[in-house]
Amino acid sequence: MSDLLERLRGRGWRMTAQRRVVAEVLDGDHVHLTADEVHARAVTRLPEISRATVYNTLGEMVTLGEVIEVATDGRAKRYDPNAHRPHQHLVCGRCGAIRDVHPAGDPMADLPDTERFGFTISNVEVTYRGICPSCAATA
Amino acid sequence: MSDLLERLRGRGWRMTAQRRVVAEVLDGDHVHLTADEVHARAVTRLPEISRATVYNTLGEMVTLGEVIEVATDGRAKRYDPNAHRPHQHLVCGRCGAIRDVHPAGDPMADLPDTERFGFTISNVEVTYRGICPSCAATA
DNA sequence: ATCCTACAATAGACAATGTCTAAGTCAAGT
DNA sequence: ACTTGACTTAGACATTGTCTATTGTAGGAT
């Protein structure tokens, strides 16, 4: 069931009810929740869980590389548990819907050495922006 | 001198001292300031300019397409006046330095129809992340 | 040159998101 | 079952951004 939870357990994490709940809320594909959304869902299962714990736990999962932090809109960051299959994001500028997408080719390879300015590049983030079909219909 | 100011004037903008100062602060290439940084610099030239005016003016320039809003770090948005030459960004994860870069190829073309889910895609943002030479030296 | 008026600027309250601290609680090894 | 260090909590605080009511002013009309 919970791949995420299994991986975290395997890393020697001290397992607490709070961490379990956060991991369960994030489990699955195509999940892109904000920290507050994660908190809201966690509270339904564990009413006394605090905001700080949700932030801490999400931060730890990001550090461990089990969850990816996505800043698609300059508002709240979103947390994406699909960390082990490289992918990019497609965002609706009207309703904020997010889809995982898989562009062809390697964007990393598209940046010539002359354009790297001596940086050691570790990853590339691609965000496609547009309007989703249901928003386009109700334009 | 100020291309940005010229373009804004040409659009029938009502020219005020505040707008002039904000445009002057943003003028130039490779400028990626946050709203507060813009305000800080504007204040040195026009001490009574308010935060709200800076935010309003930046927002209008973005709406007019003369300035691009860049969210590289999930913290404060940055404002990039280099709006008329398509480019992407290279960001240092340690010190936050930003460089404009020009990847080869068209990232838009790399997204197959089957991965567009009916979206009408209007633009693509690519962010390369890594460590800049001077941060690498002081690791 | 002066007057009008709509648009712009201001101060400061408010909102959203995220971080930190001090004190209490608990998972897990012994 | 202890003990201990890691975890959690509530709430203050910090940062970034938005809104409102009021005052000011650019630029056209007279």
Side-chain angles (χ1 to χ4, degrees):
Chain A
M1 43 158 292
S2 174
D3 283 358
L4 178 54
L5 203 49
E6 278 309 313
R7 287 198 302 272
L8 293 171
R9 204 193 304 272
R11 286 166 178 268
W13 244 32
R14 187 157 140 183
M15 194 47 61
T16 67
Q18 291 84 352
R19 288 175 169 182
R20 197 176 352 257
V21 166
V22 170
E24 283 170 4
V25 165
L26 274 186
D27 196 40
D29 286 344
H30 306 296
V31 173
H32 303 92
L33 300 170
T34 66
D36 263 3
E37 287 166 352
V38 171
H39 181 240
R41 297 188 186 199
V43 161
T44 66
R45 305 193 194 193
L46 188 66
E48 68 274 24
I49 192 171
S50 72
R51 271 180 1 109
T53 294
V54 171
Y55 277 98
N56 288 341
T57 303
L58 290 172
E60 287 155 13
M61 295 199 289
V62 169
T63 298
L64 290 175
E66 295 293 345
V67 165
I68 290 171
E69 213 172 54
V70 184
T72 52
D73 58 354
R75 311 278 301 190
K77 291 174 201 161
R78 292 178 177 273
Y79 293 88
D80 181 343
N82 187 12
H84 293 285
R85 288 169 205 78
H87 65 279
Q88 307 301 339
H89 292 105
L90 170 55
V91 179
C92 176
R94 186 182 305 249
C95 69
I98 302 178
R99 304 284 316 226
D100 288 355
V101 294
H102 304 82
D106 177 14
M108 188 82 87
D110 287 344
L111 194 66
D113 277 347
T114 56
E115 287 280 300
R116 298 194 180 202
F117 302 102
F119 278 57
T120 304
I121 300 179
S122 55
N123 79 306
V124 189
E125 230 173 78
V126 182
T127 304
Y128 295 87
R129 296 182 187 283
I131 302 294
C132 73
S134 73
C135 281
T138 65
Chain B
M1 44 158 295
S2 174
D3 282 357
L4 176 56
L5 201 49
E6 279 311 313
R7 286 199 304 271
L8 292 171
R9 204 193 307 271
R11 286 166 180 268
W13 244 33
R14 186 157 140 183
M15 193 49 60
T16 67
Q18 291 83 353
R19 287 175 170 185
R20 197 177 350 261
V21 167
V22 171
E24 284 169 5
V25 166
L26 272 186
D27 196 40
D29 286 344
H30 305 296
V31 174
H32 304 90
L33 300 171
T34 65
D36 263 0
E37 286 165 354
V38 171
H39 181 242
R41 296 187 187 200
V43 160
T44 67
R45 304 193 193 193
L46 188 65
E48 67 275 24
I49 192 171
S50 73
R51 271 181 0 111
T53 295
V54 171
Y55 277 99
N56 287 341
T57 304
L58 290 172
E60 287 155 13
M61 296 199 287
V62 170
T63 298
L64 291 174
E66 295 293 345
V67 166
I68 290 171
E69 213 172 54
V70 185
T72 52
D73 58 354
R75 311 277 301 185
K77 291 175 201 161
R78 292 177 176 276
Y79 293 89
D80 182 344
N82 187 13
H84 293 285
R85 288 167 207 78
H87 64 280
Q88 307 300 340
H89 293 104
L90 170 55
V91 180
C92 175
R94 187 181 306 248
C95 70
I98 302 178
R99 306 283 318 226
D100 288 355
V101 294
H102 303 81
D106 177 13
M108 189 82 87
D110 287 343
L111 194 65
D113 278 347
T114 56
E115 287 280 299
R116 297 193 180 203
F117 303 101
F119 278 57
T120 305
I121 300 179
S122 54
N123 80 306
V124 189
E125 230 173 78
V126 183
T127 305
Y128 295 86
R129 299 182 186 282
I131 302 295
C132 74
S134 74
C135 281
T138 65

